[in-house]
Amino acid sequence: MIWMDGRWWDTAALAKGVDIAPTSEQVQAVLDFSRAWLRGEELFEVHTSGSTGLPKSIRLTRCQMEASARATGAVLGLTAGMTALVCLPVRYIAGRMLLVRGFVCGLKLVVVEPASDPLAELPDDAVIDLASFVPLQLQTLLDRALPSDSDVEFSDATAVQALRYRRSLDSMHAILVGGGPVSPALATQIRQIKAPVYHTYGMTETATHVALRRLNGVEAMSAFVPLPGVDIGVDGRSCLHLRGPMTADATIQTNDQVELQPDGSFVWIGRWDNVLNSGGVKVHVESVEASIEVLAAAQPELGLARRRFFVAGQPDERLGQENVLVVEGAALDDEWQMQLRRALNLALPRHHAPRRFIFTPCFVATPTGKIDRKATLAAAGMPLP
């Protein structure tokens, strides 16, 4: 069964081509893929979002997608009759694989439009067992489930909404979050939720995630655990390669630098091709961003705790590249910027601390909700790295 456009649809009826007038791109994508899957097609084309390069078309077999769904179902303990929320764009792999998990594991599917608050469309009595969010969506939901008493908009209505959202999240069987890093501030909120929350690692070529990292509860850890049947290793750059049934047993080499752990898990460090050279010093962008996230959470007075930001390299005659911090939203005043620069210089090694701050009203996002760094830099009139 699939719920969309305010009613339940029988999958058998969808397979027969029951006449449904699509009301949105999301509904059209659900119909197109569901009909193709239910009539037994063996090959599916999926487009990447372009977050780490130019968008491209990937072909996946039915067997690859089924293997991914079964592995996830086994790890999460999914059983027939559970309900999954489909709130990611179905034309991309993360949303599409939610449908596949539903078909393979016998789940009921609730389809809503991709939005920052994917629970807003649901009726109050809806019970969701499995959901997959991008960090921005989960941040929005947790902000509403865990409002601050000092919030100027805190009211009885806010309290009622918070209770509903908290109950909905706490009662879920499992929550997946992927498509970007989980900030320390978001991780702190996640630890207040009862439902198991997992950070995902994967890509379109692997039919979505191939490893999970528990973020809350006594099983929380810093390393990703590969799904059953997934073999991993590293090349000479310490970049991850992997193979498994969801890759059709082909080895996929990534540019993600990792640290392999004795138990077979791995800690993600950053992308090998996302390194700046500033004054002869190699600066790993993701490591710098992670350090700034920790600093921002520990010192909210610096003004970054509730903002999105990223680090980028910009041309510099003396250093080759200078490290700049691109921040979403209005510019901080000069005194705040001075305090922030001082704190960053104390917290980070030489050449790692951003030398300039660039403020831009709104980041450009990919269709899957990730920050499009190159497009954001271009919109701000900055040279591309």
Side-chain angles (χ1 to χ4, degrees), residues 276-283 318-321 351:
L276 310 179
N277 191 322
S278 183
V281 176
K282 290 186 177 180
V283 178
R318 184 171 65 88
L319 299 173
Q321 284 182 303
H351 295 301

Side-chain angles (χ1 to χ4, degrees), residues 195-206:
V197 182
Y198 299 89
H199 194 193
T200 66
Y201 173 86
M203 60 206 77
T204 304
E205 293 87 338
T206 61

Side-chain angles (χ1 to χ4, degrees), residues 184-230:
L186 178 55
T188 297
Q189 289 182 303
I190 287 172
R191 287 193 287 271
Q192 299 180 60
I193 297 300
K194 294 179 181 178
V197 182
Y198 299 89
H199 194 193
T200 66
Y201 173 86
M203 60 206 77
T204 304
E205 293 87 338
T206 61
T208 195
H209 57 258
V210 289
L212 299 174
R213 176 171 72 99
R214 179 73 180 265
L215 296 177
N216 61 347
V218 296
E219 299 175 21
M221 61 190 304
S222 60
F224 288 92
V225 178
L227 294 181
V230 175

Side-chain angles (χ1 to χ4, degrees), residues 33-34 36-44 46 59-75 78 93 96-107 204-210 227-230 244-248:
F33 178 77
S34 296
W37 183 272
L38 293 169
R39 64 175 172 254
E41 291 194 13
E42 294 291 338
L43 192 63
F44 298 88
V46 193
R59 287 190 171 186
L60 296 172
T61 67
R62 187 183 191 92
C63 288
Q64 287 176 264
M65 299 169 83
E66 287 178 336
S68 174
R70 290 195 186 99
T72 297
V75 169
L78 303 180
I93 192 62
R96 187 165 296 188
M97 282 304 300
L98 283 164
L99 295 180
V100 176
R101 290 181 204 121
F103 298 140
V104 171
C105 300
L107 311 179
T204 304
E205 293 87 338
T206 61
T208 195
H209 57 258
V210 289
L227 294 181
V230 175
M246 58 286 294
T247 70

Side-chain angles (χ1 to χ4, degrees), residues 56 60 68 77 79 82 89 103 129 154 166 179 219 223 253 284 287 293 295 318 324 359:
K56 57 185 177 180
L60 296 172
S68 174
T79 58
M82 286 183 172
F103 298 140
D129 298 296
F154 191 85
R166 181 65 182 268
E219 299 175 21
Q253 178 65 58
H284 290 263
S287 294
E293 289 278 11
L295 181 67
R318 184 171 65 88
V324 303
F359 296 90

Side-chain angles (χ1 to χ4, degrees), residues 43-56:
L43 192 63
F44 298 88
E45 187 173 352
V46 193
H47 293 276
T48 64
S49 64
S51 59
T52 58
L54 292 175
K56 57 185 177 180

